[in-house]
Amino acid sequence: MTVYLNGQFLALEDAKVSVLDRGFIYGDGVYELVPVYGRRPYRLQQHLARLKRSLAGIRLTNPHTDAEWEAIISELIGRMPFADQGVYFQVTRGVAKRDHAFPAGVAPTVFMMSNPLVLPSHEQIERGVAVVTAVDERWLHCDLKTISLLGNVLARQLAADAGATETVLFRNGYLTEASASNVLLVRNGVIVAPPKDNQILPGITYDVAFELAREGGLPIEVRPVSKDEALAADEMWLSSSTKEVLAVTALDGRPFYGGKPGPVFRKVHALFQASKTA
Ligand SMILES: Cc1ncc(COP(=O)(O)O)c(C=O)c1O
């Protein structure tokens, strides 16, 4: 498998980073994951805009222009033997003697790889998936897509331990998001989701879901959602670049609402599938 590291396309085995890289030592970096359908990156501009926002949020200079990012991504996509891909890339603050404060004059480390895009199975789409719930114990910059993911990793493991797909998080009694997805709800036919503040990642799929819902004439509300309200919702969905939109049909070991994906989910899921080839 070919990967990209600091200006070069290399075999995965030959791509080496120093143990002093601040990504390794501090988790000091940001990342993106862009889904690719039929060799075409989906919503690339939005992902590059979010990357810029994350970089600015950790005070790291963007090492590439959008045109350069696009060229590297497209070169890597072309080198992969599969059509549907997940392009992962990260930028760290580079290699320096260990000291918390930013090093001066250090080049960032840029790494990119592309894996086959593993989408939800037919069964997961048709039957929905199980989630567990937990308290959101992460920091207060969840809007930045940083590689410091320990809080998300620990949350996600709770789902793995329970044989569930995701862990849905609540902070101070309010819904934030899940360990690697956004969470949207349906109440009385209205799609409801928490606002894109500092407590959640501004998901590209979350935006797409709202955009498609708007175009499809479905009512939408963006506002804080209490845990009680979330648990009483008619439908709950996960959204992410690899899950697309996925219905939640079991929560903490009990069937969620009807125990099967709801009608609003089916509409938005169909609109999403159509948007992939539009
Ligand atoms: C914590 C978290 N929230 C939300 C998302 C969904 O973002 P996107 O739709 O851009 O993939 C992700 C994606 O990996 C995530 O890690």
Side-chain angles (χ1 to χ4, degrees):
M1 176 166 131
T2 303
V3 300
Y4 173 91
L5 182 65
N6 297 331
Q8 286 183 293
F9 290 92
L10 301 163
L12 178 61
E13 310 74 67
D14 298 329
K16 300 276 194 312
V17 177
S18 165
V19 291
L20 288 182
D21 192 278
R22 290 176 64 98
F24 182 62
I25 298 282
Y26 294 116
D28 185 0
V30 299
Y31 76 107
E32 271 301 324
L33 188 130
V34 181
V36 174
Y37 299 111
R39 297 193 179 277
R40 280 170 50 208
Y42 183 76
R43 308 286 164 143
L44 181 56
Q45 294 319 316
Q46 287 93 322
H47 282 276
L48 291 178
R50 185 172 65 184
L51 176 73
K52 276 184 238 175
R53 198 180 167 280
S54 298
L55 285 165
I58 70 160
R59 296 165 62 188
L60 186 53
T61 306
N62 192 344
H64 294 300
T65 62
D66 281 1
E68 286 167 353
W69 280 118
E70 281 176 40
I72 301 165
I73 291 166
S74 120
E75 170 82 31
L76 190 65
I77 291 171
R79 287 173 182 248
M80 294 296 126
F82 32 85
D84 292 348
Q85 307 180 19
V87 176
Y88 172 92
F89 50 109
Q90 67 171 48
V91 184
T92 78
R93 210 178 304 273
V95 178
K97 182 171 176 300
R98 187 178 180 281
D99 177 14
H100 288 58
F102 300 168
V106 167
T109 301
V110 179
F111 171 64
M112 190 181 296
M113 64 181 165
S114 188
N115 289 300
L117 188 63
V118 180
L119 295 173
S121 65
H122 181 72
E123 189 185 334
Q124 286 180 313
I125 296 163
E126 291 304 315
R127 292 206 193 161
V129 297
V131 300
V132 296
T133 60
V135 171
D136 193 340
E137 297 177 337
R138 301 172 303 158
W139 73 331
L140 293 173
H141 285 295
C142 296
D143 54 325
L144 305 176
K145 201 162 169 64
T146 76
I147 60 170
S148 315
L149 285 173
L150 188 53
N152 302 63
V153 165
L154 293 174
R156 172 71 176 80
Q157 187 57 33
L158 297 175
D161 291 344
T165 297
E166 258 290 24
T167 303
V168 174
L169 302 171
F170 298 91
R171 194 192 285 270
N172 300 326
Y174 281 82
L175 172 66
T176 53
E177 58 181 343
S179 71
S181 342
N182 290 110
V183 178
L184 296 90
L185 304 164
V186 178
R187 284 213 78 182
N188 305 320
V190 181
I191 304 170
V192 185
K196 291 191 290 179
D197 59 15
N198 65 311
Q199 301 184 71
I200 71 169
L201 187 79
I204 307 301
T205 322
Y206 166 114
D207 282 346
V208 172
F210 276 122
E211 178 192 311
L212 296 173
R214 223 173 273 123
E215 285 168 18
L218 302 169
I220 315 175
E221 264 175 42
V222 175
R223 57 172 172 79
V225 179
S226 72
K227 183 168 183 180
D228 288 346
E229 184 181 8
L231 299 191
D234 300 329
E235 301 184 24
M236 182 183 286
W237 317 337
L238 304 171
S239 79
S240 83
S241 293
T242 53
K243 294 183 197 76
E244 302 184 334
V245 284
L246 201 52
V248 171
T249 48
L251 186 138
D252 288 336
R254 288 185 295 275
F256 185 76
Y257 206 70
K260 59 180 196 306
V264 187
F265 168 78
R266 291 194 180 282
K267 270 188 208 156
V268 172
H269 185 266
L271 292 170
F272 190 90
Q273 297 312 308
S275 80
K276 286 158 51 169
T277 48

